[in-house]
């Protein structure tokens, strides 16, 4: 049975999640009937009947039941949810790499729509929307309290039409942004040369990503056959199809394990291995990551880090280490369930759920970002979801701290400091050999009490 596994970071986003399409028969289990379960189902029917007869205005039974299904699933973890037939179709369009919209990956926090990442070269990215921005209204209509699926529906429509989003951003007054809908033909992999180094940018993982990445690399290799190194840029990559994450990793590995996934049953382990053949012929590599690098992108970074194939530069990744299975209902006629069914593990056996991939050289993109990391334990990450799956026993995400490096005084703000440091690692041959810069002056917990520091080091997961 062909599987399509999708890895991402949101409940239902314009294309993120870790998914496999399976038949309902594959999940049938001989579970004995439970009297309390039937009693509660009867209670649900009673409540639905009362609402139908006594609510102040007429209600739509279908919408009520869809909302109940979604509420049941989202109570499990941030990435399980119900997709109505329209939402299921949208998700499949997204994985094909072409869809109509604004180019946003979004999720919800306590009923508020939050941007995970704008997608490269889309209306959202061109308008300057940022990860962590909140969308409070669409065309003047509030989206507070809506499910992410319903909020996305308001943002979608005919290409060419203008959409006004009301944005709430930290340390800023709310403001409106006008965007024009487009057919998003997401080119998920592009490449360019910067002197003797190649830069391969992968912004997501759809059905075309591995082929696009291979073609993009071959194009720059033809322009400079004597390239001295390659930077794989996975920053702000929210995830996508697992088979494409495996495919990207396989481009640079000569064999061995890339990732494994393990379900509820300890015997339920599936491993994905690389085939012989490295398209770079062993060129030195650096992978760039940040807090927006999630799930499928973390698989690639973790595989190349564990297999000693690349150095990792940037900031600790998002920390989504779970796999969702998409289960069509009546062949998709009634939509689908997206249900968390497994965790994934890097080749060394690491689960990065909540903790993320930590870079070999920690580099903040700006002084402001360094200060944010010093001020806040998690920022926006998997660990910030109050109902996220727990990390491996005893593991916690690194708390508030001063990053090892940030742009020094006099660094041109128009340049990419993290990219510059990645090139330095290639130039010097390793992270260990690369001259280190002075730590930034971001103030940390000297202003905090010891009890607060302890809370940062061993937090109870909660939303920011």
């Amino acid at each position: 049975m062909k599987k399509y596994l999708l890895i991402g970071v949101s409940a239902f986003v314009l294309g993120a999640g870790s998914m496999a399409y399976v038949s309902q028969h594959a999940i049938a289990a001989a579970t004995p009937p439970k009297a309390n379960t039937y009693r509660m189902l009867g209670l649900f029917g009673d409540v639905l009947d009362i609402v139908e007869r006594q609510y102040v205005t007429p209600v739509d039974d279908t919408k009520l039941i869809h909302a109940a299904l979604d509420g049941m699933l989202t109570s499990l973890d941030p990435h399980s949810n119900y997709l109505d037939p329209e939402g299921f179709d949208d998700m499949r369009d997204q994985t094909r790499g072409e869809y109509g919209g604004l180019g946003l990956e979004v999720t919800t926090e306590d009923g508020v729509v939050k941007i995970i990442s704008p997608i490269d070269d889309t209306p959202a990215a061109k308008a300057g929307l940022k990860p962590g921005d909140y969308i409070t209204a669409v065309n003047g209509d509030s989206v507070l309290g809506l499910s992410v699926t319903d909020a996305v529906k308001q943002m979608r429509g005919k290409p060419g039409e203008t959409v006004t989003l009301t944005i709430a951003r930290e340390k800023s007054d709310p403001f409106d942004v006008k965007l024009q809908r487009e057919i998003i033909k997401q080119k998920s992999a592009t490449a360019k040369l910067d002197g003797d180094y190649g830069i391969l940018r992968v912004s997501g993982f759809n059905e075309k990503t591995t082929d696009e990445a291979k073609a993009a690399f071959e194009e720059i290799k033809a322009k400079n056959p004597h390239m001295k190194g390659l930077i794989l840029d996975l920053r702000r990559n929210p995830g996508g199809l697992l088979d494409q994450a495996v495919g990207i990793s396989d481009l640079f590995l000569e064999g061995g394990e890339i990732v494994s996934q393990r379900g509820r049953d300890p015997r339920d382990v599936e491993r994905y291995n690389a085939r012989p053949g490295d398209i770079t012929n062993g060129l030195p590599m650096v992978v760039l990551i940040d807090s927006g690098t999630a799930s499928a992108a973390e698989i690639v970074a973790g595989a190349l880090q564990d297999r000693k194939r690349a150095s990792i530069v940037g900031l600790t990744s998002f920390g989504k280490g779970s796999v969702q299975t998409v289960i069509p209902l009546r062949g998709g006629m009634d939509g689908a369930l997206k249900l968390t069914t497994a965790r994934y593990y890097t080749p060394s056996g690491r689960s990065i759920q909540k903790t993320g991939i930590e870079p070999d050289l920690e580099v903040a993109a700006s002084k402001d970002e360094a200060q944010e990391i010093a001020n806040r334990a998690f920022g926006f990450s998997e660990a910030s979801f109050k109902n996220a799956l727990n990390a491996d026993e005893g593991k916690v995400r690194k708390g508030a701290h001063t990053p090892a490096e940030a742009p020094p005084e006099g660094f041109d703000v128009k340049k990419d400091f993290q990219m510059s440091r990645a090139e330095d690692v290639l130039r010097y041959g390793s992270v260990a050999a690369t001259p280190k810069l002075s730590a930034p002056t971001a103030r940390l917990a000297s202003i905090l009490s010891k009890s607060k520091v302890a809370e940062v080091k061993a937090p109870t997961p909660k939303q920011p």
Side-chain angles (χ1 to χ4, degrees):
M1 176 173 57
K2 186 175 181 181
K3 290 185 177 180
Y4 301 88
L5 292 170
L6 224 80
I7 306 282
V9 294
S10 61
F12 166 73
V13 300
L14 306 174
S18 168
M19 309 181 186
Y21 297 99
V22 300
S23 70
Q24 287 174 270
H25 300 293
I27 61 165
T31 303
K34 298 179 181 179
N36 190 56
T37 300
Y38 288 128
R39 185 181 69 82
M40 297 305 293
L41 288 173
L43 174 62
F44 175 81
D46 292 342
V47 171
L48 181 64
D49 178 62
I50 293 170
V51 171
E52 285 178 326
R53 291 185 289 104
Q54 298 190 26
Y55 188 67
V56 63
T57 60
V59 296
D60 184 326
D61 288 355
T62 300
K63 286 185 177 180
L64 287 177
I65 293 171
H66 284 178
L69 292 172
D70 193 52
M72 174 179 65
L73 291 162
T74 55
S75 72
L76 299 173
D77 68 82
H79 311 293
S80 295
N81 66 308
Y82 169 72
L83 303 176
D84 64 20
E86 184 178 350
F88 185 37
D89 287 341
D90 286 344
M91 186 207 69
R92 287 184 289 190
D93 288 341
Q94 172 71 13
T95 62
R96 285 191 286 267
E98 182 174 328
Y99 60 96
L102 303 175
L104 282 171
E105 305 281 358
V106 297
T107 187
T108 55
E109 281 189 2
D110 290 334
V112 183
V113 179
K114 192 169 187 177
I115 296 174
I116 293 168
S117 180
I119 298 169
D120 290 355
D121 299 319
T122 63
K126 294 171 185 175
L129 298 184
K130 298 179 180 181
D133 284 348
Y134 290 95
I135 300 172
T136 61
V138 177
N139 291 329
D141 295 327
S142 174
V143 294
L144 299 177
L146 294 184
S147 71
V148 70
T149 304
D150 289 338
V152 166
K153 286 179 182 177
Q154 291 202 24
M155 288 182 264
R156 293 212 171 179
K158 293 181 180 179
E161 291 182 344
T162 299
V163 180
T164 300
L165 302 183
T166 302
I167 302 296
R169 179 177 293 169
E170 190 173 359
K171 297 181 181 179
S172 298
D173 293 331
F175 58 94
D176 288 342
V177 177
K178 289 187 177 181
L179 306 170
Q180 191 174 71
R181 294 188 184 105
E182 294 179 2
I183 295 295
I184 307 298
K185 296 182 179 180
Q186 186 182 354
K187 190 172 179 64
S188 58
T190 57
K192 63 181 181 180
L193 287 167
D194 187 4
D196 290 329
Y197 303 119
I199 300 171
L200 177 60
R201 166 68 178 158
V202 177
S203 59
F205 294 89
N206 60 45
E207 293 176 357
K208 305 171 185 177
T209 301
T210 302
D211 290 340
E212 288 178 354
K214 186 175 181 180
F217 175 79
E218 290 173 349
E219 183 178 338
I220 60 171
K221 183 68 172 176
K223 291 179 179 178
N224 183 0
H226 305 293
M227 197 187 311
K228 293 182 179 178
L230 179 69
I231 297 169
L232 177 60
D233 187 357
L234 298 178
R235 293 173 295 178
R236 303 176 305 282
N237 183 322
L241 291 166
L242 174 60
D243 66 342
Q244 297 298 305
V246 171
I248 291 292
S249 303
D250 193 6
L251 293 178
F252 310 112
L253 295 171
E254 288 287 358
E257 185 172 308
I258 293 171
V259 67
S260 64
Q261 63 180 59
R262 308 174 194 179
R264 179 193 289 188
D265 187 334
R267 297 168 296 180
D268 183 14
V269 179
E270 189 166 359
R271 301 184 187 277
Y272 299 84
N273 297 307
R275 298 161 297 180
D278 175 353
I279 64 169
T280 73
N281 293 318
L283 274 180
M285 283 187 66
V286 168
V287 178
L288 274 174
I289 64 172
D290 63 11
S291 60
T293 303
S295 209
E298 293 174 285
I299 285 176
V300 177
L304 297 183
Q305 185 181 52
D306 280 5
R307 302 291 305 282
K308 310 298 182 185
R309 179 62 185 89
S311 298
I312 310 297
V313 173
L315 297 173
T316 301
S317 61
F318 189 84
K320 180 182 180 293
S322 62
V323 180
Q324 283 70 47
T325 301
V326 175
I327 306 164
L329 302 173
R330 287 210 308 146
M333 294 176 61
D334 286 334
L337 304 184
K338 181 154 74 73
L339 188 67
T340 298
T341 55
R343 287 182 170 90
Y344 69 78
Y345 293 78
T346 68
S348 65
R350 287 186 293 165
S351 166
I352 60 167
Q353 174 64 16
K354 287 189 178 180
T355 56
I357 299 288
E358 293 190 6
D360 301 306
L361 177 61
E362 186 183 33
V363 180
S366 66
K367 290 181 181 179
D368 287 344
E369 186 172 64
Q371 187 60 60
E372 288 175 8
I373 294 168
N375 288 345
R376 302 172 65 186
F378 301 126
F380 181 46
S381 72
E382 181 78 3
S384 69
F385 289 114
K386 61 185 177 184
N387 65 332
L389 290 178
N390 288 328
D392 275 0
E393 186 176 353
K395 291 186 179 180
V396 294
R397 188 179 180 90
K398 191 173 183 178
H401 65 284
T402 300
E405 294 187 2
E409 292 293 337
F411 185 82
D412 187 348
V413 295
K414 296 179 181 179
K415 294 183 178 180
D416 186 336
F417 181 64
Q418 291 174 322
M419 184 67 70
S420 174
R421 293 301 281 159
E423 292 187 356
D424 286 342
V425 171
L426 290 176
R427 188 173 297 113
Y428 286 96
S430 68
V431 168
T434 302
K436 303 304 184 290
L437 303 179
S438 299
T441 56
R443 291 188 301 167
L444 179 60
S446 59
I447 60 172
L448 300 177
S449 68
K450 291 182 179 179
S451 63
K452 290 292 184 182
V453 173
E455 288 175 11
V456 165
K457 289 182 177 178
T460 299
K462 54 186 178 182
Q463 303 215 358

